[in-house]
Amino acid sequence: MPKQSSFHTDLPPSQEAWELACPEALRQDLLWKLHVYRAALFILHCAKEDARALRARYRGGIADQLERAVGSVSANLAEGYSRAGSADRIRFFSYALGSAREAITWYIAAADVIPEAHHTHRQSLLSKVRAMLLRLIESQRRTTNRDFKRI
């Protein structure tokens, strides 16, 4: 049975093209320099389209969970980036990692509605975000350990 969908046939613009279309005020924030933050915002942009299509087929549920999990990635990155202490940053970056993993699970749950090319695209984006978050957390841990050894 073919998937019923309200998706456009094309994938969204590249992340680079999407970034250029973002408001200047957002791009001037120091947080914008963090590639994982920009990637998390881009996947949120994509997830909104996916959630609309999911809501057209199902009521709430998966769409709400997907949008919440994906939105939580960039929100926790923003909050963690704004924290002064490494331990606080690590905690919020870890929340972002958990949300990215949760979003991967919700995309798996939505695979029967989201066209395969879109699903593959989103899973790839989330996998990259997950890898960047793991590196960011490890970098913060090394910084914390190095600072602790100086005391």
Side-chain angles (χ1 to χ4, degrees), residues 35 40-41 50 62 75 77 85-86 89 96 98-99 119 130-131 144 146:
H35 182 71
L41 286 178
D50 301 338
I62 294 172
L77 275 165
S86 291
R89 281 194 298 277
S99 294
H119 187 265
R130 182 184 60 211
T144 300
R146 189 172 49 241

Side-chain angles (χ1 to χ4, degrees), residues 16-130:
E16 294 77 18
W18 174 84
E19 287 177 11
L20 290 173
C22 285
E24 184 68 24
L26 178 62
R27 290 185 285 131
Q28 288 180 348
D29 190 319
L30 287 176
L31 180 57
W32 189 256
K33 291 181 180 181
L34 202 60
H35 182 71
V36 67
Y37 178 71
R38 296 190 316 271
L41 286 178
F42 179 63
I43 188 67
L44 178 58
H45 167 78
C46 296
K48 286 181 176 185
E49 175 187 338
D50 301 338
R52 278 192 296 276
L54 285 164
R55 284 187 185 98
R57 181 141 177 210
Y58 301 117
R59 280 220 149 90
I62 294 172
D64 294 340
Q65 293 285 7
L66 174 67
E67 208 165 13
R68 184 194 56 73
V70 173
S72 183
V73 177
S74 55
N76 279 300
L77 275 165
E79 184 149 1
Y81 186 84
S82 301
R83 298 296 173 140
S86 291
D88 274 347
R89 281 194 298 277
I90 291 168
R91 182 166 42 96
F92 281 97
F93 294 164
S94 295
Y95 294 157
L97 175 61
S99 294
R101 287 183 166 146
E102 180 184 353
I104 289 168
T105 301
W106 288 116
Y107 268 110
I108 291 168
D112 64 323
V113 177
I114 298 173
E116 187 175 345
H118 289 248
H119 187 265
T120 301
H121 178 251
R122 284 18 168 207
Q123 290 287 5
S124 176
L125 288 171
L126 283 165
S127 292
K128 289 175 185 174
V129 165
R130 182 184 60 211

